[in-house]
Amino acid sequence: MSGGSFSSTNTYFESSLSINGGRRCAACKFLRRRCSKDCILAPYFHHSQPDRFAFVHKIFGASNVARMLQQLPAHERAQAADAIATEAHWRVQNPIYGCTEIIAGLQNQITTAQNELAVIKAHITIHKAHLRPRDQAQGNFDVVANRERAHSYLKDNDLLLPELSNLPLDFC
């Protein structure tokens, strides 16, 4: 009789094994349920990261996330789970903007760096034009032409750089 109960217990134990090596995934642990072999959330929410699923559950809900993952091809699920977890993490940290605040900040840094690069390129163009060996008549023409090219470059790139508009012809 004890042998029969042992085999049923063993069968129960084997059926409850998951991808996490016999432990419930973070989702099943959080939801206080048994983690089956075919748990859609187990591969993406490891038992060692309970906060990751807690954030996802708080923002999106477990059933919504499971439904989203089931609708995707298997090879895209890991990336989708990571994106969902990242968005949930930042949404918990900043409930109003989430990760968009970080993205906007990075875009502003890129725009600032592009503007600085354009200013430096314009300064280099003007400086190179000033340093070329030239005779008096040809020299002023080169400086003016290069200055106009620098301003044209800045206008083409939609940059507003007023400090370059008032440069003297002999700027160096």
Side-chain angles (χ1 to χ4, degrees):
M1 186 153 160
S2 68
S5 64
F6 177 74
S7 66
S8 66
T9 306
N10 193 18
T11 305
Y12 171 77
F13 178 72
E14 287 174 5
S15 68
S16 67
L17 285 179
S18 70
I19 294 173
N20 292 324
R23 301 180 92 180
R24 293 183 295 173
C25 68
C28 292
K29 190 173 183 179
F30 184 86
L31 298 171
R32 297 181 180 156
R33 66 181 185 194
R34 187 170 18 120
C35 192
S36 65
K37 285 183 180 181
D38 60 343
C39 177
I40 188 75
L41 301 172
Y44 315 111
F45 299 101
H46 195 262
H47 65 85
S48 65
Q49 299 173 326
D51 289 342
R52 183 173 189 226
F53 181 76
F55 292 155
V56 168
H57 179 68
K58 181 176 183 177
I59 300 300
F60 297 106
S63 62
N64 290 333
V65 173
R67 190 178 322 112
M68 284 189 278
L69 292 176
Q70 285 175 340
Q71 291 174 351
L72 291 173
H75 68 279
E76 293 179 359
R77 290 178 183 170
Q79 186 177 5
D82 287 341
I84 291 168
T86 301
E87 176 62 33
H89 172 77
W90 288 110
R91 185 64 60 179
V92 167
Q93 300 299 319
N94 188 341
I96 296 171
Y97 295 109
C99 64
T100 57
E101 184 176 32
I102 294 169
I103 293 169
L106 292 172
Q107 287 175 335
N108 285 338
Q109 288 179 6
I110 289 170
T111 302
T112 301
Q114 288 172 335
N115 287 341
E116 289 175 5
L117 179 62
V119 168
I120 291 170
K121 283 182 176 180
H123 282 278
I124 289 171
T125 302
I126 292 169
H127 187 69
K128 282 182 178 178
H130 181 69
L131 292 178
R132 282 192 198 136
R134 62 193 184 271
D135 60 304
Q136 191 66 24
Q138 184 65 27
N140 284 340
F141 178 75
D142 286 344
V143 171
V144 170
N146 284 326
R147 184 170 141 194
E148 288 174 0
R149 266 187 270 152
H151 286 286
S152 173
Y153 171 81
L154 296 174
K155 287 179 187 175
D156 290 344
N157 291 306
D158 296 320
L159 301 173
L160 302 173
L161 302 169
E163 69 270 4
L164 290 178
S165 61
N166 298 325
L167 291 177
L169 290 176
D170 60 346
F171 172 77
C172 54

